[in-house]
Amino acid sequence: MGVTEAVTPQSPLDPPPLQPEKPGAAARAITPEDIRDGALVALLVGAAGLLLGLLWVWLAPRVQYVSNGEAVFLRSPESEARIASDGTFFLLALGLGVLSAVATFLWRRAGGVPLVIGLAVGSVFGALVGWRFGLWLGPSSDLVAAAKKAGEGVSFDAPLELLAHGALLAWPMTAVLVHLGMTALWTPRDPDPVPVAGWSGYYQAPPSADAAPATPEPPRA
């Protein structure tokens, strides 16, 4: 004796059955091209650290020393050149962070996780490269040799120093925040799905069983 399964008819108020997903309907996966673009961004932004070091050496105020033949002293003990040098590095890193974020966005408007990671890694590397390259380009760190070369009573430039190491984060933080903001504002979004015919998505109360059917209006003379 067979068993018959009861089938409940679908109410017109029930939502339509879900359609099978198309192959391209899922979220776009990370492709090798995305990883390649992220690595390229990291390489180019990191190489821009050489520009940061060059501008830092060129624009930063110089601290000057003077020697009396026995010791080396600051020429102006009240000078704020050290603080101004850190501020110069911070502002330059801030500007390069904005420029790198804008350039990356204009190159790849779609964005993506590999692109943001590449921008962040390249910015950190660029800040470190700019710092060390600036120290290498600047005056010698050997004060004794510099004092002997300058002579007694003659002022000479002190080596560059970055006292506020937190300024190294200015470039990566600015680049990532600006890029994410531009992506959120100007990246084209996917169109909204087309609603299924016969289903509005809003709940509607079922008709009452006690409600009398509407009486048709008699024709007018």
Side-chain angles (χ1 to χ4, degrees):
M1 181 177 180
V3 179
T4 303
E5 182 180 358
V7 179
T8 304
Q10 184 178 5
S11 171
L13 299 177
D14 293 339
L18 297 178
Q19 299 294 331
E21 291 187 359
K22 297 180 180 180
R28 192 174 75 91
I30 296 176
T31 62
E33 289 75 13
D34 295 333
I35 299 177
R36 179 200 61 194
D37 292 344
L40 183 60
V41 167
L43 180 63
L44 295 178
V45 174
L50 299 175
L51 178 62
L52 172 61
L54 185 63
L55 292 175
W56 186 36
V57 172
W58 181 33
L59 299 175
R62 300 299 176 86
V63 178
Q64 290 195 326
Y65 285 127
V66 65
S67 173
N68 61 359
E70 298 179 356
V72 176
F73 304 94
L74 283 171
R75 182 178 181 181
S76 178
E78 298 180 357
S79 174
E80 297 181 355
R82 293 285 189 196
I83 301 176
S85 177
D86 288 0
T88 302
F89 186 92
F90 176 81
L91 293 177
L92 290 172
L94 204 69
L96 288 174
V98 173
L99 289 177
S100 58
V102 172
T104 303
F105 175 77
L106 294 178
W107 181 53
R108 288 289 185 269
R109 287 179 177 269
V113 175
L115 207 64
V116 176
I117 294 177
L119 180 61
V121 172
S123 300
V124 172
F125 185 69
L128 293 174
V129 168
W131 172 39
R132 302 308 301 180
F133 187 59
L135 296 182
W136 180 75
L137 284 180
S140 172
S141 58
D142 190 351
L143 295 181
V144 176
K148 290 181 178 179
K149 183 178 179 180
E152 183 177 349
V154 179
S155 59
F156 59 93
D157 291 334
L160 279 176
E161 287 185 290
L162 185 64
L163 301 180
H165 291 136
L168 294 171
L169 298 177
W171 188 342
M173 292 182 65
T174 302
V176 171
L177 291 177
V178 171
H179 184 269
L180 291 179
M182 296 181 70
T183 303
L185 289 175
W186 291 297
T187 296
R189 294 175 173 82
D190 296 333
D192 296 333
V194 179
V196 180
W199 174 249
S200 62
Y202 296 98
Y203 173 77
Q204 299 175 357
S208 175
D210 299 334
T215 304
E217 186 180 352
R220 298 181 180 179

